[in-house]
């Protein structure tokens, strides 16, 4: 694989654990709101604060989303149990986290990142999120902190942890896996996919082995990967660190390491004697969960189309000739959820390349607004560009207005902005004036020096305040030679 | 019946488990709990003498599955009431001593 070639003689083996917060209204075991950014400690109750005598009751919507995730990842969805994972850390007031242990709700699935080998999914299980701790004093990081402040709004928020097989051999494949998984989770309504807000979190288990070896090396678990970029950099750094260590006669210790984005390094998080012993046991307050075939079938029937299917549909609409050339843009359009707009435009006769480009580039800048943009207005606007009524830059300006919430049809918006094809008499006058004002450049252009055309076009654009169409200006200049 | 198993659990096991549970035990208590826990394990080991091939492990004493609630928000507790129970509060949050202080 190209991007692990730098490990000469070695290869990396990576497994990923992805935690996704579920888009439910309430927490996993209580009716407190599941909401990001609320005032600290306002979404808490006796259950999620672990007060004596409180009892957890499982959220049906969280189970439904976990089943959706299982179906989308081609996993088997079966009977499962909830266990207590015991540990002392102030992020969980109960001193245990309710999770699933040896019987997870989903097991044995797979995901195929576009352009990379298929990755096995070992399991996906339900568990509750922990509270949010902020380390104060010291340098603001865990080590050297004088005290910690805890907000339990997040404690008990439903999570699904998706564990991949160690089937990933490059940082590129790891990024593609997370990116595709994220797109799937968004498409099925399980997650908002926001890595920067922590609603999607990734831990990477990284080990290295000699090329051709059959047994895996000792792995390190890398935490604090808040973006696809961090994920890629951290994996490459960690594999390199382990290879250097082994090449110099050292031994890789199995440990948890923290990625530091600013130094570009991983560092050991806990000492060896803190080896964890979670003493899992079945939670006596919760009965077994068994969605059963009917539930799984119902989810399967009502499942939104997956990104891979939507890419295929958009490729088919674009047509074979163009689809390979703009595969990247097609993927972006699907990832942003703008394929509905583009398909509508293509079916109305707008050129496929144009529709895909405007969605993947210009609409992407305001994807949330673009998703709720009326398809009819998008189509109307692109037809104006297609028929040269608006230039490319004018179309982009009108689109930006529409996405910013401008009222009215694209024609009305264009008129308000003073855009639209110029009256030819006005353009002719502008061309003549520029030629007269710059006789030297004009002579060079007539003499065949094409380099000055940019200057001349620029002068016309300036005198018309950008209202002229670049193509028409070039044509007009050429016709005057 | 299987007789008592003297080394069903060792003193070191008890010290380890006590540490995980953040319990501080005297030497006498370690002796006592090693004996008590050993008795419990010996008692439970009677099950091992039975032929349980084909018996599904009991996950829960109640014959129930899928006890679920609808995804409907109910009011949370009043924050002042919640924080009044905290030993220390800063900035509307629970204040706790430094974490992993033993290695800082």
């Amino acid at each position: 694989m190209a991007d692990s070639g730098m490990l000469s003689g070695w290869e990396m083996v990576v497994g990923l654990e992805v935690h996704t917060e579920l888009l439910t209204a309430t927490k996993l075991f209580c009716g407190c709101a599941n909401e990001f950014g609320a005032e600290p400690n306002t979404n808490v109750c006796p259950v999620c604060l672990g007060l004596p005598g409180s009892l957890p009751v499982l959220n049906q919507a969280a189970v439904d989303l976990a089943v959706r995730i299982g179906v989308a990842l081609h996993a088997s969805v079966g009977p499962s149990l909830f266990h207590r994972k015991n540990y002392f850390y102030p992020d969980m007031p109960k001193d245990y986290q309710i999770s699933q242990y040896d019987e997870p709700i989903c097991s044995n699935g797979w995901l195929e990142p576009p352009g990379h080998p298929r990755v096995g999914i070992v399991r996906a299980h339900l568990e509750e999120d922990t509270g949010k701790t902020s380390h104060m004093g010291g340098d603001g990081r865990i080590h050297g902190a004088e005290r910690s402040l805890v907000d339990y709004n997040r404690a008990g928020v439903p999570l699904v942890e998706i564990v991949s097989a160690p089937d990933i051999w490059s940082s590129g494949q790891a990024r593609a896996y997370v990116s595709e998984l994220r797109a799937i989770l968004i498409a099925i309504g399980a997650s908002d996919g926001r890595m920067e807000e922590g609603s999607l979190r990734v831990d990477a288990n990284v080990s290295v082995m000699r090329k051709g070896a059959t047994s895996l090396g000792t792995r390190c678990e890398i935490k604090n990967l808040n973006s696809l970029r961090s994920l890629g950099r951290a994996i490459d750094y960690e594999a390199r660190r382990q290879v250097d260590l082994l090449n110099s006669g050292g031994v890789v210790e199995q440990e948890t390491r923290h990625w530091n984005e600013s130094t570009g390094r991983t560092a050991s998080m806990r000492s060896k004697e803190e080896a964890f012993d979670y003493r899992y046991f079945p939670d006596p307050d919760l009965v077994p969960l068994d969605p059963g075939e009917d539930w799984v079938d119902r989810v399967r029937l009502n499942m939104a189309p997956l990104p891979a299917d939507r890419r295929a549909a958009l490729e088919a609409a674009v047509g074979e000739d163009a689809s390979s050339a703009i595969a990247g843009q097609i993927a972006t359009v699907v990832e942003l959820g703008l394929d509905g707009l583009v398909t509508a435009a293509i079916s109305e006769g707008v050129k496929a390349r144009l529709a895909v480009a405007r969605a993947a580039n210009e609409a992407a800048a305001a994807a949330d607004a673009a998703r709720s943009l009326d398809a009819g207005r998008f189509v109307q606007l692109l037809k104006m560009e297609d028929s040269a009524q608006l230039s490319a830059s004018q179309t982009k300006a009108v689109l930006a207005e529409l996405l910013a919430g401008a009222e009215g049809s694209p024609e009305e918006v264009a008129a308000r902005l003073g855009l639209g094809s110029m009256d030819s008499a006005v353009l002719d006058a502008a061309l003549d004036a520029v030629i007269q004002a710059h006789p030297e450049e004009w002579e060079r252009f007539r003499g065949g020096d094409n380099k000055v055309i940019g200057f001349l076009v620029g002068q016309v654009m300036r005198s018309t305040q950008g209202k002229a169409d670049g193509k028409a200006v070039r044509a007009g200049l050429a016709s005057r030679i | 019946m299987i007789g008592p198993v003297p080394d069903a659990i060792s003193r070191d096991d008890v010290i380890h488990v006590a540490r995980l549970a953040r319990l501080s035990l005297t030497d006498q208590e370690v002796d006592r709990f090693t004996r008590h826990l050993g008795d419990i394990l010996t008692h439970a080991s009677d099950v091992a003498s039975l032929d349980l091939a084909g018996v599904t492990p009991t996950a829960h004493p109640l014959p129930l599955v899928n006890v679920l609630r609808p995804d409907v928000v109910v009011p949370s507790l009043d924050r002042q009431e919640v924080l009044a129970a905290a030993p220390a509060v800063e900035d509307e949050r629970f204040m706790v001593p430094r974490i992993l202080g033993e290695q800082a």
Side-chain angles (χ1 to χ4, degrees):
Chain A
M1 212 129 298
D3 38 359
S4 62
M6 62 176 193
L7 298 177
S8 59
W10 295 84
E11 55 192 350
M12 66 167 87
V13 181
V14 178
L16 295 175
E17 293 170 11
V18 174
H19 287 83
T20 179
E21 286 182 354
L22 300 178
L23 285 178
T24 55
T26 67
K27 294 187 179 181
L28 187 53
F29 297 111
C30 63
C32 289
N34 166 15
E35 146 188 52
F36 180 81
E39 278 290 301
N41 294 307
T42 50
N43 294 330
V44 294
C45 75
V47 173
C48 56
L49 286 175
L51 301 186
S54 60
L55 285 173
V57 187
L58 183 58
N59 181 347
Q60 174 160 12
V63 176
D64 199 70
L65 293 177
V67 173
R68 276 192 226 176
I69 290 172
V71 171
L73 298 177
H74 319 92
S76 31
V77 179
S80 60
L81 297 177
F82 289 93
H83 276 66
R84 291 185 183 180
K85 177 180 180 179
N86 298 278
Y87 66 95
F88 283 92
Y89 199 79
D91 63 3
M92 270 324 244
K94 297 195 295 288
D95 287 336
Y96 60 85
Q97 176 192 28
I98 304 176
S99 182
Q100 298 193 302
Y101 183 48
D102 52 355
E103 292 189 51
I105 179 165
C106 308
S107 50
N108 289 324
W110 54 266
L111 182 153
E112 204 160 276
H116 291 273
R118 178 182 286 195
V119 177
I121 306 288
V122 177
R123 57 184 282 153
H125 69 256
L126 274 163
E127 65 183 24
E128 53 180 349
D129 206 345
T130 59
K132 188 171 170 17
T133 52
S134 311
H135 308 292
M136 313 300 286
D139 58 1
R141 287 172 45 242
I142 291 182
H143 295 278
E146 283 164 13
R147 64 199 188 285
S148 297
L149 302 182
V150 196
D151 168 13
Y152 289 119
N153 283 345
R154 205 180 61 189
V157 161
L159 290 177
V160 165
E161 178 177 343
I162 300 155
V163 182
S164 89
D167 287 348
I168 297 168
W169 304 294
S170 71
S171 55
Q173 190 192 3
R175 290 175 57 141
Y177 167 86
V178 173
S179 166
E180 183 70 359
L181 180 54
R182 181 176 172 274
I184 290 171
L185 295 171
I186 293 171
I188 64 177
S191 167
D192 62 21
R194 292 189 186 134
M195 289 185 83
E196 68 288 354
E197 285 182 6
S199 59
L200 192 75
R201 308 196 281 271
V202 184
D203 299 334
N205 284 300
V206 180
S207 67
V208 297
M209 60 191 217
R210 288 234 180 248
K211 275 217 166 85
T214 50
S215 63
L216 298 173
T218 304
R219 67 175 195 273
C220 290
E221 183 178 3
I222 316 300
K223 292 192 176 282
N224 194 40
L225 306 172
N226 299 326
S227 65
L228 288 180
R229 186 178 130 81
S230 300
L231 171 70
R233 289 180 70 204
I235 289 175
D236 283 332
Y237 170 84
E238 179 60 20
R240 176 84 257 164
R241 184 190 73 88
Q242 293 181 15
V243 166
D244 289 347
L245 191 62
L246 293 166
N247 278 338
S248 63
V251 182
V252 176
E253 307 258 3
Q254 183 167 339
E255 61 179 355
T256 303
R257 298 178 68 85
H258 183 94
W259 168 251
N260 185 326
E261 180 67 32
S262 51
T263 60
R265 291 159 180 269
T266 63
S268 184
M269 272 177 86
R270 303 180 209 270
S271 61
K272 269 179 294 178
E273 55 274 18
E274 279 289 300
F276 282 99
D277 183 346
Y278 291 124
R279 294 152 294 146
Y280 281 97
F281 67 89
D283 192 319
D285 292 339
L286 290 160
V287 299
L289 173 65
D290 186 4
E293 260 176 59
D294 287 352
W295 193 340
V296 175
D297 287 344
R298 205 163 56 238
V299 164
R300 200 184 303 277
L301 281 173
N302 295 314
M303 189 90 127
L306 296 177
D309 304 326
R310 286 164 48 197
R311 280 194 299 270
L314 187 51
E315 277 161 15
V318 165
E320 266 178 38
D321 291 347
S323 71
S324 62
I326 56 175
Q329 289 183 335
I330 287 175
T332 305
V333 167
V334 169
E335 196 186 320
L336 296 172
L338 302 177
D339 36 333
L341 279 185
V342 173
T343 313
I346 294 172
S347 69
E348 291 278 332
V350 173
K351 276 198 210 80
R353 268 169 186 275
L354 175 65
V356 170
R358 289 291 164 268
N361 302 328
E362 282 71 46
D368 285 335
R371 270 190 294 279
S372 47
L373 181 65
D374 171 53
R377 297 168 88 203
F378 184 68
V379 172
Q380 255 184 320
L381 173 61
L382 293 195
K383 280 188 168 172
M384 290 169 77
E385 182 179 357
D386 224 2
S387 61
Q389 213 179 321
L390 291 177
S391 68
S393 58
Q394 290 174 334
T395 304
K396 293 173 191 175
V398 174
L399 184 53
E401 286 293 307
L402 294 179
L403 295 176
E407 304 273 330
S409 69
E411 264 144 14
E412 288 161 352
V413 173
R416 261 204 311 276
L417 293 174
L419 303 175
S421 54
M422 289 187 81
D423 186 89
S424 62
V426 177
L427 178 60
D428 282 342
L431 286 168
D432 291 338
V434 166
I435 288 169
Q436 217 164 11
H438 303 282
E440 204 178 305
E441 286 80 3
W442 175 245
E443 281 312 315
R444 274 167 54 201
F445 178 61
R446 274 173 47 125
D449 180 358
N450 271 319
K451 278 180 286 184
V452 294
I453 193 167
F455 170 79
L456 294 168
V457 171
Q459 291 303 312
V460 175
M461 287 300 189
R462 213 168 108 185
S463 72
T464 60
Q465 278 113 43
K467 288 177 192 166
D469 174 31
K471 266 188 255 167
V473 173
R474 281 162 197 270
L477 288 171
S479 73
R480 280 167 170 72
I481 292 176
Chain B
M1 278 292 284
I2 297 175
V5 183
D7 46 2
I9 186 166
S10 69
R11 274 183 61 91
D12 285 349
D13 290 332
V14 172
I15 291 166
H16 174 65
V17 172
R19 187 180 130 66
L20 289 175
R22 303 294 188 271
L23 295 174
S24 161
L25 302 182
T26 63
D27 281 353
Q28 290 93 319
E29 284 170 324
V30 171
D31 287 337
R32 178 146 49 96
F33 288 122
T34 304
R35 206 166 57 243
H36 287 180
L37 291 170
D39 288 348
I40 292 168
L41 291 175
T42 303
H43 177 66
S45 71
D46 288 355
V47 176
S49 63
L50 304 174
D51 178 11
L52 297 176
V55 177
T56 314
T58 304
H60 199 277
L62 300 178
L64 287 172
V65 291
N66 301 342
V67 175
L68 301 168
R69 67 178 172 83
D71 187 25
V72 177
V73 177
V74 298
S76 294
L77 291 174
D78 175 69
R79 178 163 69 182
Q80 294 322 316
E81 199 186 334
V82 168
L83 295 175
V89 173
E90 182 178 322
D91 209 7
E92 310 294 344
R93 290 173 290 174
F94 292 80
M95 192 176 96
V96 297
R98 68 192 205 179
I99 295 166
L100 302 183
E102 65 269 26
Q103 319 165 35

